[in-house]
Amino acid sequence: MDEVLLRSLTPSVLTVLVRRGADFAAAEDAVQDALVEALRVWPADPPRDPKGWLVTVAWRKFLDAARADAARRRREDRVEEEPVAGPAPAVDDTLQLYFLCAHPSLTPASAVALTLRAVGGLTTRQIAEAYLVPEATMAQRISRAKRTVSGVRLDRPADVATVLRVLYLVFNEGYSGDVDLAAEAIRLTRQLAAAIDHPEVAGLLALMLLHHARRAARTAPDGSLVPLAEQDRGRWDTRLIADGVRILQAALARDRLGEFQAQAAIAALHADAPTADETDWVQIVEWYDELARLTDNPIVRLNRAVAVGEADGPRAGLAALAELDDSLPRHTAVAAHLHERDGDLAKAARLYTEAADKAPNLAERAHLTRQAARLNARR
Amino acid sequence: MAKYLLLKHYRGAPAPVNDVPMDQWSPDEISAHMQYMNDFAARLEKTGEFVDGQALAPEGAWVRYDGEGRPPVTDGPFAETKDLIAGWMIIDVDSYERAVELAGELSAAPGAGGKPIHEWLEVRPFYGVQPTITE
């Protein structure tokens, strides 16, 4: 049974049902029922036209559900009178589904869950596992999201940026359970890039590929973090890097720069360096300047301070850092790193300890505590 | 079987015997400590006694209702006087004795100098198990 094929068909089947007049929430339930049916029937009796099969079964499930609802009998009659469409259209019309699932009326958590369910075709259990919450909690989150968007019409796409933000949130979640969310985000972004011609979609896809290429090298076997400079570059996935760079170059050539393209350019410069020492920090600083022009995100300026520290020396980095609010996440860790490079080991050790207390996750906390311990042991 | 909560504290518990702050350990000692905790959890998974475990950040706040239409009161980031939980593990074991035995093992995690830290852990039984009724 090709679960990947099933998942990739989900959004277009859903779109067909909604186009035929089914309410989004009811259509989504019917598609899930059809997927369960497919898992049961297909191994013994594979259909010639999987999508057509799914549309037929899902539509029947939808009608069954509508029929079972006595209070809706009149509407059901009207639905039954409508002719059932012929073969499903071959064109991929799932694009609007992306926009619906990233609708601005949804909270980010709901948009992410709905996107994974409706566009990604994941089961509620898989999504719950990936986000480490009970299945009942995730089921509620998804049904609330469905209710929120059920009145929204599947027509004109809104802002691409909201869709990209949701996909980026999925990517950043990493993985647990049996679904690799980073890989899932890449799959969905590839699908989106195939359906829409937009340089920022390409930029995000390139960024994801370039980050993903380094994933294996980013943690040691015991789960601890390995900083970029110490990573075994032999473990980077050169095929993904080449793919990312090619997609990025095509996007940049269109001369409509956006923040994802700029971030991908920075990632590409890191990926391009044969050793950490050969990193082109001067060019990276220039890209951070572009990025700062495109967004007023203070995290960008924090990262820029790190790059300045590498390009122009730790004093210059500290000067750039001094202009920023010291309550920014990871500000203390950056300060510790720059003070260490500047030779003030006592201050660096103290700051690493302080940064460890503020770390957002256990791996980062352990990493920063180790940095402090390393310097304390040396003194 | 009954569930127990093993609580590890940042502060508030009596000082451990091997009381050296973690940033004064060597990086290898930190790794050994983390490894011990992971191995411990993995072993309990194998024996079917592990339920859940999480680590908590050191920063926390007390929060209190402050009346209709007003935002809740928090004590802000003044953590000095608080008993702060660093993390927990929930185990499902046959007896109280087994829970104490496991807490003892966890407390023996290596610290500075590779020696056990002997930290104090709290063991709390869960409510919810009905007493067996016999005529």
Side-chain angles (χ1 to χ4, degrees), chain A residues 132 222 349 353 356-359 362 365-366 369-370 372-374 376-377 379, chain B residues 10 22-28 30-31 34-35 38 54-59:
Chain A
L132 299 175
D222 66 358
T353 304
D357 277 354
K358 298 177 187 161
L362 203 56
R365 178 179 159 80
T369 307
R370 265 192 210 99
R374 177 176 53 79
N376 284 330
R379 284 190 297 133
Chain B
Y10 278 114
M22 215 166 180
D23 64 318
Q24 305 294 326
W25 302 2
S26 76
D28 286 347
I30 295 171
S31 297
M34 308 299 279
Q35 190 65 50
N38 292 341
Q54 291 285 320
L56 293 177
E59 298 290 329

Coordinates of all heavy atoms in Angstrom, one line a residue, chain A residues 132 222 349 353 356-359 362 365-366 369-370 372-374 376-377 379, chain B residues 10 22-28 30-31 34-35 38 54-59:
Chain A
L132 N 3.4 15.8 20.2 CA 3.5 15.3 21.6 C 2.3 15.8 22.4 O 2.4 16.2 23.6 CB 4.8 15.7 22.3 CG 6.1 15.2 21.6 CD1 7.3 15.8 22.3 CD2 6.1 13.7 21.7
D222 N 24.6 10.8 21.0 CA 23.9 10.9 22.2 C 22.8 12.0 22.3 O 22.2 12.3 23.3 CB 24.9 11.1 23.4 CG 25.6 12.4 23.3 OD1 25.3 13.2 22.4 OD2 26.4 12.7 24.2
A349 N 32.3 32.4 30.5 CA 31.8 31.3 31.2 C 30.5 31.7 32.0 O 29.5 30.9 32.0 CB 32.8 30.7 32.2
T353 N 26.6 30.2 31.4 CA 25.8 29.6 32.5 C 24.4 30.3 32.5 O 23.4 29.7 32.6 CB 26.4 29.8 33.9 OG1 27.7 29.2 33.8 CG2 25.6 29.1 35.0
A356 N 22.3 29.2 29.6 CA 21.8 27.9 29.8 C 20.5 27.9 30.6 O 19.5 27.2 30.3 CB 22.8 27.0 30.6
D357 N 20.4 28.8 31.6 CA 19.2 28.9 32.4 C 18.0 29.4 31.5 O 16.9 29.1 31.8 CB 19.4 29.9 33.5 CG 20.0 29.2 34.7 OD1 20.2 28.0 34.7 OD2 20.3 29.9 35.7
K358 N 18.3 30.1 30.4 CA 17.2 30.6 29.6 C 17.0 29.8 28.4 O 16.2 30.1 27.5 CB 17.6 32.0 29.1 CG 17.7 33.0 30.2 CD 18.2 34.4 29.6 CE 18.5 35.4 30.7 NZ 19.3 36.5 30.1
A359 N 17.7 28.7 28.2 CA 17.6 27.9 27.0 C 16.2 27.3 26.8 O 15.5 26.9 27.7 CB 18.6 26.7 27.1
L362 N 16.2 21.2 26.1 CA 17.2 20.5 26.9 C 18.5 20.4 26.2 O 19.6 20.5 26.8 CB 16.6 19.1 27.3 CG 17.2 18.5 28.5 CD1 17.1 19.4 29.8 CD2 16.6 17.1 28.8
R365 N 20.3 23.6 26.4 CA 20.7 23.9 27.8 C 22.0 23.1 28.1 O 22.9 23.6 28.6 CB 19.6 23.5 28.7 CG 19.9 23.6 30.2 CD 18.7 23.2 31.1 NE 19.1 22.9 32.4 CZ 19.4 23.8 33.3 NH1 19.3 25.1 33.0 NH2 19.8 23.4 34.5
A366 N 22.0 21.8 27.7 CA 23.1 20.9 28.0 C 24.3 21.5 27.2 O 25.4 21.5 27.8 CB 22.8 19.5 27.6
T369 N 25.6 24.6 29.0 CA 26.2 24.2 30.3 C 27.6 23.6 30.0 O 28.6 23.9 30.7 CB 25.4 23.2 31.1 OG1 24.1 23.7 31.2 CG2 25.9 23.0 32.5
R370 N 27.7 22.8 29.0 CA 29.0 22.2 28.6 C 30.0 23.3 28.2 O 31.2 23.2 28.5 CB 28.9 21.2 27.4 CG 28.7 19.8 27.9 CD 28.9 18.9 26.7 NE 28.0 17.7 27.0 CZ 26.8 17.5 26.5 NH1 26.3 18.3 25.7 NH2 26.1 16.5 26.9
A372 N 30.1 26.4 29.3 CA 30.5 27.0 30.6 C 31.5 26.1 31.3 O 32.6 26.6 31.7 CB 29.3 27.3 31.5
A373 N 31.2 24.8 31.3 CA 32.1 23.9 32.1 C 33.5 23.8 31.4 O 34.5 23.8 32.1 CB 31.4 22.5 32.1
R374 N 33.5 23.8 30.1 CA 34.7 23.8 29.3 C 35.6 25.0 29.7 O 36.8 24.8 30.0 CB 34.4 23.8 27.8 CG 35.6 23.8 26.9 CD 35.2 23.7 25.4 NE 34.2 24.7 25.1 CZ 34.5 26.0 24.8 NH1 35.7 26.4 24.8 NH2 33.5 26.8 24.4
N376 N 35.3 26.9 32.4 CA 35.6 26.9 33.9 C 36.7 25.9 34.2 O 37.6 26.1 35.1 CB 34.4 26.5 34.7 CG 33.4 27.7 34.8 OD1 33.8 28.8 34.8 ND2 32.1 27.4 34.9
A377 N 36.8 24.8 33.4 CA 37.8 23.8 33.6 C 39.2 24.3 33.2 O 40.2 23.9 33.7 CB 37.4 22.5 32.8
R379 N 40.3 27.4 33.4 CA 40.9 28.4 34.2 C 41.6 27.9 35.4 O 41.2 26.9 36.0 CB 39.8 29.4 34.6 CG 39.4 30.3 33.4 CD 38.5 31.4 33.8 NE 37.2 30.9 34.4 CZ 36.7 31.4 35.5 NH1 37.3 32.3 36.2 NH2 35.5 30.9 35.9
Chain B
Y10 N 15.4 22.0 41.2 CA 16.6 22.9 41.0 C 17.0 23.4 42.3 O 18.2 23.5 42.6 CB 16.2 24.1 40.1 CG 16.2 23.8 38.7 CD1 15.0 23.9 37.9 CD2 17.3 23.6 38.0 CE1 15.0 23.7 36.6 CE2 17.3 23.3 36.6 CZ 16.2 23.4 35.9 OH 16.1 23.2 34.6
M22 N 26.5 22.5 38.1 CA 26.8 21.8 36.8 C 27.8 22.5 35.9 O 28.6 21.8 35.2 CB 25.5 21.6 36.1 CG 25.4 20.3 35.3 SD 23.7 20.0 34.8 CE 23.9 18.4 34.0
D23 N 27.8 23.8 36.0 CA 28.7 24.5 35.1 C 30.2 24.4 35.6 O 31.1 24.9 35.0 CB 28.3 26.0 34.9 CG 28.4 26.8 36.2 OD1 27.9 26.3 37.2 OD2 28.8 27.9 36.2
Q24 N 30.3 23.8 36.8 CA 31.7 23.6 37.3 C 32.2 22.2 37.0 O 33.3 21.8 37.4 CB 31.7 23.9 38.8 CG 31.2 25.2 39.2 CD 32.1 26.4 38.7 OE1 33.3 26.2 38.7 NE2 31.5 27.5 38.4
W25 N 31.3 21.3 36.4 CA 31.7 20.0 36.1 C 32.5 20.1 34.8 O 32.5 21.1 34.1 CB 30.5 19.1 35.8 CG 29.5 19.0 36.9 CD1 29.6 19.6 38.2 CD2 28.3 18.2 36.9 NE1 28.5 19.2 38.9 CE2 27.7 18.3 38.2 CE3 27.8 17.3 36.0 CZ2 26.5 17.7 38.5 CZ3 26.6 16.6 36.3 CH2 26.0 16.8 37.6
S26 N 33.2 19.0 34.4 CA 33.8 18.9 33.1 C 32.8 18.5 32.1 O 31.8 17.9 32.4 CB 35.0 17.9 33.1 OG 34.4 16.6 33.1
P27 N 33.0 19.0 30.8 CA 32.0 18.6 29.8 C 31.7 17.1 29.8 O 30.6 16.7 29.6 CB 32.7 19.1 28.5 CG 33.5 20.2 28.9 CD 34.0 19.8 30.3
D28 N 32.8 16.3 30.0 CA 32.5 14.8 30.0 C 31.6 14.4 31.1 O 30.9 13.4 31.0 CB 33.9 14.1 30.1 CG 34.6 14.2 28.7 OD1 34.0 14.6 27.7 OD2 35.9 13.8 28.7
I30 N 29.3 16.1 32.4 CA 27.9 16.5 32.1 C 27.3 15.4 31.1 O 26.2 15.0 31.3 CB 27.9 17.9 31.4 CG1 28.3 19.0 32.4 CG2 26.5 18.2 30.8 CD1 28.5 20.3 31.8
S31 N 28.1 15.0 30.1 CA 27.7 14.0 29.2 C 27.3 12.7 29.9 O 26.3 12.1 29.6 CB 28.7 13.7 28.1 OG 29.0 14.9 27.4
M34 N 24.0 13.1 31.7 CA 22.9 13.0 30.8 C 22.6 11.6 30.3 O 21.5 11.1 30.2 CB 23.1 13.9 29.5 CG 23.5 15.3 29.8 SD 22.2 16.2 30.7 CE 21.1 16.7 29.4
Q35 N 23.8 10.9 30.0 CA 23.7 9.5 29.5 C 23.0 8.6 30.6 O 22.2 7.8 30.3 CB 25.1 9.0 29.2 CG 25.2 7.7 28.5 CD 24.6 7.8 27.1 OE1 24.9 8.7 26.4 NE2 23.7 6.9 26.8
N38 N 19.3 9.1 30.6 CA 18.7 8.5 29.4 C 18.6 7.0 29.5 O 17.6 6.4 29.2 CB 19.4 8.9 28.1 CG 19.3 10.4 27.8 OD1 18.3 11.0 28.3 ND2 20.2 11.0 27.0
Q54 N 9.8 14.4 31.8 CA 10.0 15.7 31.1 C 11.0 16.5 32.0 O 11.0 16.4 33.2 CB 8.7 16.5 31.0 CG 7.7 15.9 30.0 CD 8.1 16.2 28.6 OE1 8.5 17.2 28.2 NE2 7.9 15.2 27.7
A55 N 11.7 17.4 31.3 CA 12.5 18.4 32.0 C 11.9 19.7 32.0 O 11.2 20.0 31.0 CB 13.9 18.4 31.4
L56 N 12.0 20.5 33.0 CA 11.4 21.8 33.0 C 12.5 22.9 33.1 O 13.5 22.7 33.7 CB 10.5 22.0 34.3 CG 9.3 21.1 34.3 CD1 8.5 21.3 35.7 CD2 8.3 21.5 33.2
A57 N 12.2 24.0 32.5 CA 13.1 25.2 32.5 C 13.2 25.7 33.9 O 12.2 25.6 34.7 CB 12.6 26.2 31.5
P58 N 14.3 26.3 34.3 CA 14.4 26.9 35.6 C 13.6 28.1 35.9 O 13.2 28.3 37.1 CB 15.9 27.2 35.8 CG 16.5 27.1 34.4 CD 15.5 26.5 33.5
E59 N 13.2 28.9 34.9 CA 12.4 30.1 35.1 C 10.9 29.7 35.2 O 10.4 29.0 34.4 CB 12.6 31.0 34.0 CG 14.0 31.5 33.8 CD 14.5 32.4 34.9 OE1 13.6 33.2 35.4 OE2 15.7 32.4 35.2

